[in-house]
Amino acid sequence: MLRKSHFNIRKFIYDTFDKDAAKVVFEREGIWDCTTCSACLKKCPKGVDTTGIVMGLRSLMVEDGRIPPPIRDALKSIAIHKNPWKISAEERSKWAEGLGVKNISEGADILYYVGCTPAYDARLQKVARAIVEILNRAGVDFGILGNEEGCCGSEIRRMGDVWTFEYLAEENIEIFKKYNVKKIVTTSPHCYNTFKNEYKGANFEVQHYTELVASLIEEGRLSFTHQIDKTVTYHDPCFLGKQNGIFDPPRKVLTSIPGIKLVEMDRARERSLCCEGGGGRMWVESEDSEDRLAKIRVGEAMDVGAQILATSCPFCLLTLEDVVKTGDLEESIKVMDIAELVKEAL
Amino acid sequence: METAEIRIGVYICHCGINIASTVDVDRVRDSISQLPNVIVSRDFKYMCSDPGQELVRRDIKEKGLNRIVVASCSPRMHEPTFRMTIQQAGLNPYCLEMANIREQCSWVHEDREYATAKAVKLVSAAVAKVSLLEPLEEKEVEVRPEALVIGGGIAGIQASLDIADAGFKVYLVEREPSIGGHMAQLDKTFPTLDCSACILTPRMVEVERHPNIELLSYSEVIDVSGYIGNFHVKVRKKPRYIAMDKCTGCGMCAEACRMKGKIISEFDVGMGKRSVPYIPFPYAVPSKYTIDPENCLFITKGKCGKSPACKDACSSDAIDFEQKEEIVELDVGTIVVATGFDLFDAREKPEYGYGLYDNVLSGLEFERLVSSSGPTQGKIVIDDKEPRDVVFVQCVGSRDKSVGNEYCSRVCCMYTAKQAHLIHEKLPDAKLTVFYIDIRAFGKGYEEFYDRVREEGVRYIRGNVSEIIKKGDRLLVMAEDTLLGEPVDIEADLVVLATGIVPRKDVKEVGNLLKISRSPDGFFLESHPKMRPVDTATDGIYLAGCAQGPKDIPDTVAQAKGAASSAMTKMARGKVKVEVTTASVDTFVCRGCGRCVEVCEYGAPNLEEVEPGIFVSQINDSICKGCGACSVVCPSGAISMKHFKNEQILSQIAAVI
Amino acid sequence: MSEEFEPNIVGFACNWCSYAGADLAGTSRMKYPPNIRIIRVMCSGRVSPSFVLKAFQMGADGVLITGCHPGDCHYIAGNLKCEKTMETTRKLIDVLGIGEERLRLEWVSASEGSKFADVVTDFTNHIRGLGPILGKSQG
Ligand SMILES: Cc1cc2nc3c(=O)[nH]c(=O)nc-3n(C[C@H](O)[C@H](O)[C@H](O)COP(=O)(O)OP(=O)(O)OC[C@H]3O[C@@H](n4cnc5c(N)ncnc54)[C@H](O)[C@@H]3O)c2cc1C
Ligand code: SF4
Ligand code: SF4
Ligand code: SF4
Ligand code: SF4
Ligand code: FES
């Protein structure tokens, strides 16, 4: 019995030495448990591409049609609506109504790529709106793709559907080219990561919004008028921190907000613990029955006396907040996106 | 070029029947005799026999031959023989060319017709080349009877003592205020558990007393020029601000200093404190104090109270803030590089929490902790408490691509076993666990030692630790036991990381200074991994100890003795032959592009400014090895290779087809 | 293709590993076709493109260069330098219509007598199969 899951990457690798890989995945438990956080990939002393292997094995299952129903639905939804949330593409830019956000077709320095979850999820729409407000306040010239925006494909790829991913990537690159996009800012570290590291033949600059906001503060283009007298801790999203080395900009933003006392959890920065929201895990339930790591994480935040657990990733926000809600912890700790804190302090 | 007429003698050997049975020797002899400038063409049963050689010598004298071709076995076999033969007859030994008609003809072919035709071609090529060969002078350079040893760890100490004992002068340059290196920091040494100081101190004292050794401590080599036999070296002696000849080593200055006990001790790797005037450790050599300029108030701020307390305290008036750095110039014949290693910085593996938790120590910190001369006098205490559970993590920073070190550090398995044993000895009730990937106990007595430690109750778990986190005031070490395929969580109050051996931070600069290369692991590269393990590609420069790669003390000492003996061999003869078939530049043709400088592995070519703004390459033929790489890249065709000139090789090509 | 075509092959072998490997093929009495004639150079890194071109110009049908295995070169990296030079030389002879397959570079150690024999046999057969260089007579 393993710590939390039956998933053991070594067993998968060794078994495929002399057995048919497809057979191995079908027989073994746990292939959907990996969150592709890449903690093991970063540490592996022999440079084994563990997460790549996980994705490859999953693709065998997808190819064979042996996919858990929620994943099948998500894939279908992407084919029809260009988002995994089964909502019409026509409603993609509803969140922005009344905000007066420019469409990228009118020309802008920066494309704000919103992402599926911030576009459709009621909780995350608040984050998207906060980002718009921040960028407006700083006088940034940006636009969005509106209903033309489609899924970036990051999660689809991690669920094993490489074919749809490649299709989405090509289509997105075409759209970016059409509007002559030179720089993209994303809400989600997952979109950020896939644009930066997995889109072949792309020639645009990508930034996570925390990087942009940090530089706006540095340049004096953003200043704060409100005080937030709270103890805050920051959860590093795996796709931003571990995988892309972005540790300081989010912290810089937080410490620039007047009143905020930033405390660090034991597992911070490279040592951060995955919340278990990535790698398609927003759709598939784990085969294990244990608590999600998010629960441990919220506990760690409370241990260091944080009143606010801040993060900068849509999936982290949802998984962490879920723990707070279902655990009746709302009195003790609040989960917020950095963008929301910044907006509050403007 | 031709001053005298070329007169060639060709000698075709039967090698008993080895050649003659497949090659029609008579036919070869006859067709070769038709070639221009061939005065005699003969065949003989055994050319290498005395009568065979005599035949050549007689013809040279009687027929006035000045170029000789011997068609027989491989030149790798008998070229030296026939060079000597013609030299005895008064010819320059380089006026010889051999045609290999045995190994590369009669022995590998069966068809007599084809083999004979081929032999004719091979001999014709040799004739073509020999007509263009020029006499070459063998050169020897003198080797000064002085050696420079860089680095005063156990490797440098051993090499210095051996060379000095053989009667040569040694300059030992050590960067730190004392010699001793890492070995001085160790407590006991595996596998025999001798106390490190007990075996090292006598050697250090010997260095200090040796009439043939001049120790330049607190000094660095800043420039090296020249070549084997005659290196010119500049050494910077840093100011100690304490006169060496006056300081008695009493330590009154350190006692009196206003900063006493406030400076982190490098020797105790941050675990202890020292004063600004300091000796690194009690048995340091030389036993003289040094004022640490970075922390001295007087040096950094220009003012220390009313007057420097150290100065007032020193009864021999040794403190001297006027001291300046000094450049010492040395001429030496050979150089031994023994600059050792740095310890891997475990902060590069953040999952282990090193630098974050006070109770996660590096292997070297632990050595200081158990040492009776260390900050706790050898008591194993963490936060004033004796640890109940201790975890060791092996391979930290070694065998690990994620930090760019693929190699094994070769000492950490054993020093972990040793350290576990030392804790067991002092705290028999402590629970000890070692996480490992593989155990490498390859030396004499090592496996036995490892077994003994396991029998003492140390638990060895195979598996790499994934993370170490805080649990209350203890640590939680998490890993997978890969033999069982199960997760293990172990609580600990002390974690010791078996931090590996990495190249010195300044290894690149030192390498450039000496023009020696490094292997992919970053350590200095030996000339051949098996046959020339202490030589570098630069003649006269030898490697000893961890500068060349991770190793334990026995291997370090053995290699140091090897390096010393190589240096001594050259100095004992006082002369070395240098390569004759070197490159030379036609300075009228050279356009100064510098490509030869770039391509040469040995630093033989150099651009020299002959007129303002005009550079030409000059190749030092005491350094050149004659590989020919420069002549290939030279875009102006300015470089020719002696004995392998373009026209010589081209003539061979034309003749073989 | 005519049955009698016997190609002319020029070999360049470095003194330290591959020339010794060729000698070993001899001392072990291995057999290979007699078409090759070896010219000894100190290092494969000494082989200049002009040698290769000269060989083809003089009528060679193939050129085989042998050097020490990477890491074993007596002069540290002459073999790797040769590899780089020959990459461009190969392109050049292709442009000249000689065909890049007619130039081969192989690593042969002093202990690889049998590899030397195999390489030579294989290369000779290969060139024999290719036939003479087209238009050689005009060149
Ligand atoms: C934690 C630990 C425990 C160990 N335990 C054992 C053990 O029990 N048994 C065992 O056999 N081995 C042990 N070893 C290995 C042992 O320490 C080494 O084999 C040995 O110290 C190597 O000696 P060295 O002279 O090559 O290098 P070093 O000891 O590193 O000495 C190099 C010297 O050169 C000087 N130097 C460096 N650069 C320059 C420069 N540019 N100019 C002038 N001087 C310079 C340095 O100041 C230093 O004095 C252990 C190693 C470690 C890390
Ligand atoms: S990505 Fe995360 S869950 Fe997957 S194998 Fe690596 S560490 Fe484990
Ligand atoms: S001058 Fe002052 S600080 Fe410097 S060594 Fe002397 S007492 Fe210490
Ligand atoms: S000696 Fe042992 S601990 Fe050190 S790197 Fe090698 S295998 Fe790892
Ligand atoms: S022949 Fe080789 S060693 Fe000599 S100068 Fe040229 S490149 Fe350097
Ligand atoms: S010496 Fe053989 S290739 Fe350089």
Side-chain angles (χ1 to χ4, degrees):
Chain A
M1 181 58 208
L2 287 169
R3 184 170 279 121
K4 188 166 145 28
S5 155
H6 286 283
F7 176 65
N8 184 329
I9 186 73
R10 283 186 309 105
K11 286 192 179 158
F12 277 101
I13 295 174
Y14 282 122
D15 278 357
T16 50
F17 273 178
D18 46 21
K19 273 196 230 151
D20 178 22
K23 240 180 131 197
V24 171
V25 232
F26 299 151
E27 277 168 9
R28 280 213 178 280
E29 293 174 77
I31 190 67
W32 296 104
D33 288 351
C34 172
T35 71
T36 68
C37 71
S38 89
C40 54
L41 179 80
K42 293 282 158 188
K43 285 172 203 165
C44 176
K46 296 296 164 195
V48 175
D49 180 14
T50 46
T51 45
I53 291 170
V54 168
M55 289 187 243
L57 292 174
R58 285 179 180 176
S59 75
L60 292 175
M61 302 198 81
V62 173
E63 201 173 12
D64 204 58
R66 298 200 202 194
I67 21 176
I71 294 201
R72 189 185 324 123
D73 295 349
L75 294 177
K76 215 189 275 167
S77 170
I78 286 184
I80 306 171
H81 308 299
K82 288 213 287 178
N83 74 71
W85 297 114
K86 300 185 227 170
I87 313 176
S88 159
E90 300 306 311
E91 288 175 43
R92 189 153 185 130
S93 58
K94 249 186 156 170
W95 65 274
E97 276 169 16
L99 291 179
V101 189
K102 184 156 78 159
N103 190 286
I104 192 76
S105 57
E106 295 165 44
D109 295 344
I110 292 178
L111 167 67
Y112 170 37
Y113 180 89
V114 188
C116 301
T117 311
Y120 290 107
D121 182 278
R123 173 67 185 86
L124 263 305
Q125 288 177 345
K126 285 194 210 160
V127 176
R129 281 195 284 268
I131 292 178
V132 166
E133 211 174 315
I134 298 165
L135 299 186
N136 278 336
R137 187 66 71 88
V140 175
D141 176 27
F142 72 100
I144 58 172
L145 280 164
N147 291 343
E148 220 178 324
E149 184 181 285
C151 180
C152 69
S154 163
E155 296 308 286
I156 281 302
R157 183 168 184 265
R158 282 161 182 75
M159 288 189 264
D161 188 352
V162 280
W163 306 273
T164 306
F165 169 78
E166 264 155 32
Y167 163 76
L168 288 172
E170 267 171 40
E171 195 172 74
N172 285 333
I173 290 178
E174 277 316 304
I175 295 176
F176 297 156
K177 270 196 195 139
K178 182 164 93 187
Y179 295 117
N180 196 20
V181 172
K182 291 274 169 306
K183 180 169 172 180
I184 298 178
V185 169
T186 70
T187 322
S188 171
H190 295 259
C191 311
Y192 168 83
N193 177 67
T194 205
F195 286 156
K196 189 172 160 206
N197 302 319
E198 294 164 355
Y199 269 42
K200 285 182 212 97
N203 62 337
F204 46 79
E205 183 196 341
V206 203
Q207 264 193 334
H208 184 246
Y209 84 84
T210 53
E211 293 179 280
L212 177 64
V213 174
S215 58
L216 292 173
I217 294 173
E218 183 133 323
E219 291 159 18
R221 290 169 67 184
L222 262 188
S223 51
F224 299 103
T225 51
H226 295 87
Q227 180 109 354
I228 300 178
D229 289 311
K230 288 277 158 59
T231 303
V232 179
T233 192
Y234 174 64
H235 164 76
D236 287 277
C238 300
F239 281 70
L240 194 63
K242 261 190 225 94
Q243 297 193 27
N244 286 294
I246 300 173
F247 299 112
D248 292 322
R251 287 180 168 76
K252 191 176 172 310
V253 174
L254 285 172
T255 50
S256 314
I257 297 173
I260 282 186
K261 184 176 157 233
L262 181 68
V263 290
E264 293 285 2
M265 290 180 275
D266 180 25
R267 290 193 251 200
R269 304 176 73 93
E270 296 92 342
R271 296 164 46 83
S272 167
L273 181 68
C274 175
C275 76
E276 227 177 318
R281 293 293 306 279
M282 292 303 292
W283 290 270
V284 225
E285 271 314 307
S286 162
E287 290 168 4
D288 70 69
S289 51
E290 302 282 313
D291 291 330
R292 281 204 163 195
L293 294 173
K295 186 163 173 193
I296 302 174
R297 202 57 176 155
V298 170
E300 290 181 353
M302 291 183 11
D303 284 349
V304 293
Q307 298 161 288
I308 294 175
L309 169 54
T311 186
S312 53
C313 165
F315 297 153
C316 296
L317 188 74
L318 292 177
T319 34
L320 294 168
E321 205 168 66
D322 193 47
V323 171
V324 172
K325 277 196 202 134
T326 53
D328 266 338
L329 299 168
E330 278 130 320
E331 297 293 295
S332 348
I333 193 158
K334 206 171 157 194
V335 182
M336 287 181 83
D337 195 281
I338 289 184
E340 297 177 294
L341 285 163
V342 173
K343 191 202 97 175
E344 236 179 82
L346 287 178
Chain B
M1 193 103 280
E2 275 125 277
T3 40
E5 183 202 350
I6 298 292
R7 297 176 65 81
I8 306 171
V10 182
Y11 300 86
I12 297 144
C13 181
H14 296 216
C15 195
I17 57 159
N18 278 302
I19 294 171
S21 65
T22 327
V23 170
D24 182 342
V25 176
D26 294 343
R27 231 169 77 203
V28 177
R29 180 201 60 214
D30 290 346
S31 25
I32 294 300
S33 69
Q34 310 299 314
L35 294 175
N37 298 334
V38 174
I39 308 297
V40 283
S41 177
R42 296 186 196 278
D43 64 296
F44 196 76
K45 196 127 190 124
Y46 288 106
M47 277 311 300
C48 58
S49 65
D50 278 343
Q53 294 187 50
E54 184 48 36
L55 186 65
V56 179
R57 283 191 290 257
R58 208 178 50 225
D59 281 351
I60 292 175
K61 294 209 178 94
E62 289 175 0
K63 305 209 168 353
L65 304 180
N66 52 17
R67 297 288 187 281
I68 302 298
V69 169
V70 179
S72 57
C73 50
S74 172
R76 294 173 52 86
M77 182 99 181
H78 275 313
E79 194 173 60
T81 317
F82 293 115
R83 277 194 176 155
M84 199 141 64
T85 312
I86 70 169
Q87 197 171 18
Q88 287 158 350
L91 277 192
N92 181 284
Y94 290 88
C95 291
L96 169 86
E97 183 65 18
M98 289 185 71
N100 185 343
I101 57 167
R102 191 180 74 176
E103 281 85 344
Q104 296 182 8
C105 190
S106 71
W107 274 353
V108 286
H109 306 315
E110 279 161 326
D111 187 297
R112 197 169 161 87
E113 209 34 55
Y114 281 127
T116 305
K118 175 169 174 176
V120 171
K121 293 284 187 190
L122 292 177
V123 184
S124 313
V127 170
K129 184 174 181 186
V130 89
S131 350
L132 298 169
L133 284 180
E134 289 159 12
L136 297 175
E137 286 319 313
E138 300 220 314
K139 233 179 84 178
E140 284 195 323
V141 295
E142 285 201 17
V143 182
R144 304 181 63 97
E146 291 115 11
L148 166 71
V149 177
I150 310 176
I154 182 58
I157 291 173
Q158 185 62 51
S160 301
L161 288 171
D162 280 10
I163 299 173
D165 282 346
F168 301 103
K169 168 100 189 168
V170 176
Y171 300 99
L172 172 57
V173 175
E174 166 58 53
R175 175 158 66 193
E176 299 297 324
S178 169
I179 56 172
H182 282 103
M183 190 175 165
Q185 290 170 288
L186 308 181
D187 180 43
K188 303 244 167 57
T189 53
F190 65 75
T192 43
L193 298 173
D194 324 64
C195 131
S196 191
C198 314
I199 52 180
L200 178 64
T201 324
R203 315 245 73 191
M204 291 168 60
V205 173
E206 242 183 285
V207 166
E208 190 174 35
R209 296 221 186 101
H210 207 295
N212 285 341
I213 299 181
E214 185 173 331
L215 174 59
L216 297 130
S217 55
Y218 207 46
S219 303
E220 269 166 34
V221 174
I222 54 168
D223 188 50
V224 178
S225 57
Y227 43 87
I228 181 167
N230 246 306
F231 292 104
H232 188 70
V233 181
K234 288 190 186 134
V235 178
R236 175 176 36 229
K237 283 180 91 168
K238 296 175 274 191
R240 286 180 182 252
Y241 302 107
I242 290 179
M244 289 275 274
D245 50 347
K246 290 188 189 154
C247 178
T248 59
C250 68
M252 299 299 283
C253 51
E255 275 302 312
C257 172
R258 296 187 162 84
M259 302 290 288
K260 181 188 164 200
K262 293 197 182 123
I263 313 299
I264 287 172
S265 155
E266 298 82 359
F267 182 77
D268 282 334
V269 259
M271 313 250 310
K273 296 283 172 59
R274 60 164 168 84
S275 183
V276 168
Y278 71 110
I279 51 167
F281 50 98
Y283 56 94
V285 167
S287 172
K288 308 281 179 186
Y289 277 70
T290 303
I291 291 180
D292 163 9
E294 266 157 43
N295 290 301
C296 170
L297 298 169
F298 190 79
I299 295 171
T300 55
K301 304 211 160 63
K303 192 168 178 296
C304 173
K306 269 210 299 298
S307 83
C310 52
K311 216 169 160 104
D312 301 341
C314 181
S315 49
S316 30
D317 194 23
I319 313 270
D320 174 9
F321 286 109
E322 297 301 302
Q323 245 182 32
K324 294 274 166 318
E325 70 168 37
E326 205 185 312
I327 307 292
V328 183
E329 306 205 9
L330 310 170
D331 289 303
V332 297
T334 54
I335 299 177
V336 175
V337 184
T339 47
F341 66 97
D342 276 340
L343 200 69
F344 174 73
D345 181 356
R347 275 173 298 212
E348 282 182 49
K349 297 287 288 173
E351 61 267 32
Y352 297 145
Y354 179 79
L356 217 56
Y357 310 130
D358 289 341
N359 42 354
V360 176
L361 300 183
S362 74
L364 198 57
E365 284 165 344
F366 184 80
E367 291 287 334
R368 295 314 301 144
L369 185 69
V370 277
S371 165
S372 47
S373 70
T376 58
Q377 286 78 44
K379 277 210 270 312
I380 302 176
V381 285
I382 292 290
D383 278 340
D384 299 323
K385 277 195 303 248
E386 287 183 347
R388 281 174 292 130
D389 295 277
V390 183
V391 167
F392 293 88
V393 182
Q394 289 197 174
C395 295
V396 177
S398 316
R399 309 175 64 192
D400 187 346
K401 281 189 185 156
S402 79
V403 294
N405 299 334
E406 288 186 46
Y407 56 85
C408 166
S409 284
R410 300 180 91 235
V411 296
C412 9
C413 277
M414 289 312 293
Y415 84 55
T416 297
K418 166 189 80 177
Q419 293 177 344
H421 167 82
L422 293 176
I423 298 192
H424 177 73
E425 217 174 42
K426 295 193 175 180
L427 307 171
D429 295 328
K431 263 185 67 194
L432 309 176
T433 310
V434 177
F435 284 98
Y436 69 98
I437 306 180
D438 301 287
I439 293 296
R440 300 192 166 167
F442 49 85
K444 188 168 177 174
Y446 289 12
E447 183 73 17
E448 295 89 323
F449 183 75
Y450 162 60
D451 282 344
R452 168 179 163 194
V453 171
R454 294 189 81 160
E455 275 154 27
E456 286 171 355
V458 178
R459 181 174 168 206
Y460 273 77
I461 301 179
R462 187 176 183 280
N464 217 343
V465 168
S466 60
E467 57 180 335
I468 297 175
I469 61 173
K470 229 168 42 202
K471 186 169 183 196
D473 54 2
R474 306 184 86 201
L475 297 169
L476 184 65
V477 181
M478 297 193 260
E480 182 193 338
D481 182 327
T482 57
L483 291 180
L484 302 179
E486 280 174 6
V488 267
D489 287 353
I490 293 188
E491 284 186 34
D493 345 79
L494 171 62
V495 171
V496 183
L497 304 178
T499 34
I501 283 179
V502 297
R504 288 272 181 200
K505 268 196 297 295
D506 62 349
V507 64
K508 213 169 149 186
E509 290 76 42
V510 175
N512 288 344
L513 206 61
L514 295 157
K515 298 192 190 73
I516 56 179
S517 358
R518 293 183 297 142
S519 37
D521 57 14
F523 294 96
F524 291 128
L525 177 68
E526 63 282 358
S527 196
H528 189 281
K530 287 153 201 99
M531 304 313 289
R532 304 181 72 201
V534 303
D535 305 64
T536 64
T538 308
D539 282 339
I541 302 188
Y542 309 97
L543 301 172
C546 290
Q548 180 260 345
K551 44 182 81 62
D552 50 28
I553 297 166
D555 283 1
T556 297
V557 170
Q559 200 189 18
K561 287 179 124 5
S565 116
S566 294
M568 275 142 48
T569 314
K570 301 289 190 252
M571 294 189 292
R573 219 188 128 234
K575 273 185 203 155
V576 279
K577 271 208 183 111
V578 292
E579 189 57 59
V580 186
T581 59
T582 53
S584 66
V585 180
D586 184 339
T587 45
F588 291 106
V589 181
C590 171
R591 61 164 101 144
C593 68
R595 296 223 200 136
C596 50
V597 182
E598 263 166 50
V599 83
C600 180
E601 305 281 343
Y602 308 95
N606 232 322
L607 285 186
E608 318 238 320
E609 194 162 13
V610 282
E611 271 173 55
I614 302 201
F615 291 87
V616 289
S617 169
Q618 232 125 66
I619 293 179
N620 184 328
D621 57 8
S622 302
I623 301 176
C624 174
K625 300 264 189 286
C627 72
C630 55
S631 76
V632 171
V633 298
C634 176
S636 352
I639 301 178
S640 70
M641 302 302 309
K642 291 181 201 134
H643 214 63
F644 290 91
K645 293 190 164 192
N646 281 352
E647 56 270 29
Q648 294 165 354
I649 295 177
L650 292 172
S651 75
Q652 281 175 289
I653 297 173
V656 289
I657 296 172
Chain C
M1 204 158 299
S2 103
E3 282 285 291
E4 295 93 63
F5 173 60
E6 281 303 337
N8 270 320
I9 295 174
V10 177
F12 293 98
C14 84
N15 181 52
W16 303 98
C17 284
S18 50
Y19 195 88
D23 279 355
L24 182 64
T27 20
S28 326
R29 309 295 201 277
M30 284 155 183
K31 300 294 177 241
Y32 55 79
N35 308 57
I36 188 164
R37 281 96 217 245
I38 294 163
I39 293 173
R40 181 167 68 124
V41 285
M42 291 314 276
C43 173
S44 64
R46 170 69 184 104
V47 181
S48 136
S50 66
F51 299 172
V52 176
L53 293 177
K54 170 84 171 181
F56 284 118
Q57 189 198 348
M58 294 300 298
D61 302 293
V63 173
L64 175 68
I65 305 169
T66 53
C68 314
H69 284 271
D72 289 349
C73 170
H74 194 74
Y75 307 99
I76 301 170
N79 44 3
L80 303 178
K81 290 169 193 161
C82 176
E83 193 174 30
K84 246 176 88 192
T85 320
M86 288 310 140
E87 237 164 69
T88 41
T89 312
R90 202 170 279 130
K91 285 191 195 124
L92 181 64
I93 61 169
D94 218 28
V95 172
L96 293 177
I98 294 167
E100 57 159 17
E101 309 169 70
R102 292 181 188 268
L103 170 60
R104 195 181 281 186
L105 172 62
E106 291 276 355
W107 310 139
V108 177
S109 80
S111 62
E112 293 176 329
S114 64
K115 178 169 180 190
F116 185 85
D118 290 347
V119 162
V120 171
T121 309
D122 183 73
F123 188 61
T124 313
N125 291 338
H126 184 71
I127 300 294
R128 200 177 273 139
L130 288 178
I133 298 170
L134 289 175
K136 195 161 84 176
S137 44
Q138 294 114 273

